[in-house]
């Protein structure tokens, strides 16, 4: 059994690397959005032509990024969504809703202080964690039945 | 043609009433979440038994609310998601993602200053508006072909 | 908003009547399996011809009952599954699994002593109750936003 | 043709090993739930944090196990559900219902004395067996057309 | 509960009329193909232009008839397929396969001597009957729980 | 049996009126796009704000129109697509492809000289006609079994 | 591009071998039902226990065969259904209907004298052939664009 | 992550070769229709028998080509549709609609002068480009996050 895991959400800390590193040796294929913030903002206009209007500048980029995001979400068995400390992170919550509607197994990774604000997202999740290592432990258990010592 | 419209998101202003009032006479059926904040927070424990732990208190309520939310989203032709000034509003973005994955027509209603933060949500929308009256105008046009004077 | 509610499971107490009576005045359409135990056991052979072998006697009946059960489950917004005191009740758990796979909102009604044995079923549910009146209260809240006094 | 077979249900005898051993040489990929009873009960709290309340202890575990179970059920061509002598085994019947709703080929393995209680589950099955070796023979026939000597 | 029942297959006896007559008073909506043999054969060319080649003459008609057939099959809860004494009746078996793949409840009505030849069709059915009155009895039982006296 | 028919394509002749008029008395519900060319071009900017760039002007309008178009296509049993004499009519062919992928019954109405260019569209259609009256005759036959005199 | 092709229908001539032989070198994976008539008739009772009643003898076998048939049909890109000279072949037409409802590309292989009786099946097909070599030519063209010399 | 990309539309310039060449080294699998115009027009009659009537000549070919086209569209993550200078290209727009209804990521490649006529197609696209190199850049960015220098 190979698990296909999409790592959605916050792009300013190394949580993805921690999970990927921790899951070494497990039969997991990870995908994620483009995490280079500048490239992600500008990809639309850099490739398809400049837009003077900020809205369309952003829109073109968001649509190009959606090609990758929807591929990742659609192919995933498990979608991990990380909510970080900063920003509004509506894209993370959007991905969680998208994943839920597709019937994906949803794991949410968030700070304790966000618990109340995330209650609707948690209601669709199969696991809620605070630390990346817990996600690794879930993946290990799901694949091997082995619990942390 | 009857349009089934689900009004998701912010519950602290009268935007739903404005849309429903404005759409009088149009063949639209509106649904929405429970907008009584206290009832929405406490419904789980009020009906199914108290929980000392805040997480499970919230969880029970969020799951009961999900019965209504998913019925509304699933039956809708159009999902209008309103992002207001305050709070994190991850439930609104979650509903937008859920609606997008189901292929619903998505209309987003937000403040101009949230434009950049909402770009991924906008990329899945068929209309982006700032005022409730614009949503009414979209509904009128979709049903009757009539544009605002 | 009309809710279509399928009442699955135990057929030896009046829990269905309690819910239907309690929900009077709410916009709910209830369906349920045939609850006449003898008719339910014998319907296959009574209509389609006797079977000397008990297995096929039962099989013919179970297949005829499935016509009603699957219609009820497929059309439902909410599936309430009641586990009672007696019998193995695998049909109840089967219906719960069937409903979960179809993405229905699942409400489980069971005795406290069955909690551990039902944990996988509960994991797919949006509400877990012990008394029929709680199901009525969930339905009332979902439809009207009104909590019990 | 590779068959993906999920082995659901009873975890206290070696029926899974008998089938896997018997099917050696056939083009079958087997998956199954975690069959370590203690790990399966405690996985939620061991990874995601302790719960003083038994219900939520169980709930957290059941949801983590669901990640594996739903992956197994969703990817399967054939779901074999074994009902043993003991316990209520509602999870087995739940999996059978889930598999049936997904249109999976269902094989039920049970004791003769459970025949009547399982009639609704049998009505959704393509094969009903009493011994693991019969499941192996079905798999061999389906893959090679070869019947037992 | 209203049952939508599509009556497929043999068009040379009055079995449809017997069922419709027998089901008077039950909450059933019946649909069926066009049963005027000549109209059914010629509808394509009569409306869309003559074809000198018999194959295309038949093809045009079969495609026009498919508009009605697929509407009936798609909307049905139950598909009754009648195999009569004469002709090859591949359209009846085709409809049965189509209904089975859509997950419809299938009732097969056939002569005893066709039992072996229909075994694959029967394997997808929830009821197998020889007389139209049995279909009426199944419909009555499914809707009301009442067995024949 | 009520047929829901979406009338897609060319908006410069009165073919829709001819069909609707001709189908009077038949149990058909017709829907269609907004056929006021100017309103259809400008609806986006008229409601949601002006765009200096022609591309985005058009885009905003096309997305608002898509709300109506997709509702019509999704709810339809039959999609009639008319290709007229002028313009490129890629929206008509787009709707035909969209309808085909959703498994709708497709009727194509076109000039004889467009036959070769439409062969891929025809390959997905159940009827190909040259005159609106033929569409009426197909609808009458599908609903009543009656052929033109 | 690999094509997955299911070869359904008649089992008394070597048409499958002709196609498989002819398609050597093409990127095609073929599957088919068990074509050993006796094994196919008796598989149910040989594995799952004898049945004195011919109907249930056949039923048990047909259900076991369905495990293979539905796997083949579900995984296929193309379903080739062959109608031969003899027998009623309702299973072939059933498979054709099943394949059509799943949106598979259907190729029908039949004798010219069966043309009229197969018109409803042909209406769902993308190719109708008389000789196995034509099926090979279709597969070669679809994969390589190469026409027969 | 491997991207499966279907290249639909115009067959008279070397845009496919430019994209395939440009994407060398990226993890992309390309598929496309048969681009030999004569073979594509005649494949039906060349394999399945001549047709004196041009309509059926074309129809037989279009249906055989649909076997390949639908396989390509169904398996694709991304569908690129190119509109060229000449011809009506309704097949291109048809494929775009088909892809949109399946939820594929759509990239449209067209001349600036066709912008207005393609606005409904653009409304369903995630990227709109004028040059094949831009498609390559989108693919590279989606797979690697790398923007053009």
């Amino acid at each position: 059994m190979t698990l296909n895991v999409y790592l959605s959400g916050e792009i300013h800390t190394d949580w993805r690397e921690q999970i990927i590193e921790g899951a070494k040796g497990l039969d997991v294929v990870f995908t994620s959005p483009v995490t280079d913030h500048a490239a992600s903002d500008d990809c639309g206009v850099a490739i398809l032509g400049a837009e003077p209007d900020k809205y369309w500048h952003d829109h073109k980029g968001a649509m190009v990024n959606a090609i990758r995001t929807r591929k990742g979400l659609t192919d995933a068995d498990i979608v991990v969504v990380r909510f970080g400390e900063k920003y509004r992170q509506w894209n993370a919550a959007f991905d969680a809703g998208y994943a839920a509607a597709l019937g994906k197994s949803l794991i949410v990774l968030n700070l304790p202080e966000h618990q109340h604000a995330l209650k609707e997202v948690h209601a669709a999740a199969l696991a809620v964690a605070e630390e990346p290592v817990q996600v690794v432990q879930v993946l290990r258990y799901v694949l091997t039945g082995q619990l942390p010592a």
Side-chain angles (χ1 to χ4, degrees), chain A:
Chain A
M1 186 164 70
T2 303
L3 289 176
N4 192 320
V5 178
Y6 184 72
L7 301 170
S8 168
E10 189 247 307
I11 62 172
H12 300 286
T13 66
D14 69 346
W15 69 277
R16 281 187 186 79
E17 288 67 29
Q18 289 183 49
I19 290 175
I20 293 168
E21 181 64 30
K24 280 235 168 100
L26 294 176
D27 194 355
V28 183
V29 173
F30 289 103
T31 57
S32 45
V34 170
T35 56
D36 175 334
H37 198 149
S40 165
D41 271 8
D42 296 336
C43 60
V45 297
I47 296 172
L48 302 169
E51 292 292 334
D53 182 328
K54 183 63 162 58
Y55 179 84
W56 297 114
H57 178 115
D58 282 349
H59 193 62
K60 266 177 147 170
M63 291 201 298
V64 168
N65 284 314
I67 298 175
R68 178 165 168 145
T69 307
R70 301 211 180 152
K71 167 74 175 164
L73 288 167
T74 302
D75 287 1
D77 300 306
I78 297 174
V79 174
V80 182
V81 184
R82 159 82 172 172
F83 291 85
E85 268 176 277
K86 294 193 295 189
Y87 306 108
R88 296 192 166 268
Q89 309 187 71
W90 285 323
N91 58 324
F94 180 88
D95 281 1
Y98 200 94
L102 296 182
K104 304 299 178 183
S105 289
L106 185 65
I107 300 177
V108 180
L109 191 53
N110 63 270
L111 307 172
E113 59 262 39
H114 287 160
Q115 179 266 317
H116 184 69
L118 282 168
K119 65 187 204 291
E120 288 86 2
V121 179
H122 289 163
L126 290 176
V128 177
E130 293 180 17
E131 299 297 337
V133 68
Q134 293 174 301
V135 175
V136 173
Q137 290 169 348
V138 168
L139 297 177
R140 175 166 297 116
Y141 173 74
V142 167
L143 281 166
T144 70
Q146 205 182 322
L147 289 179

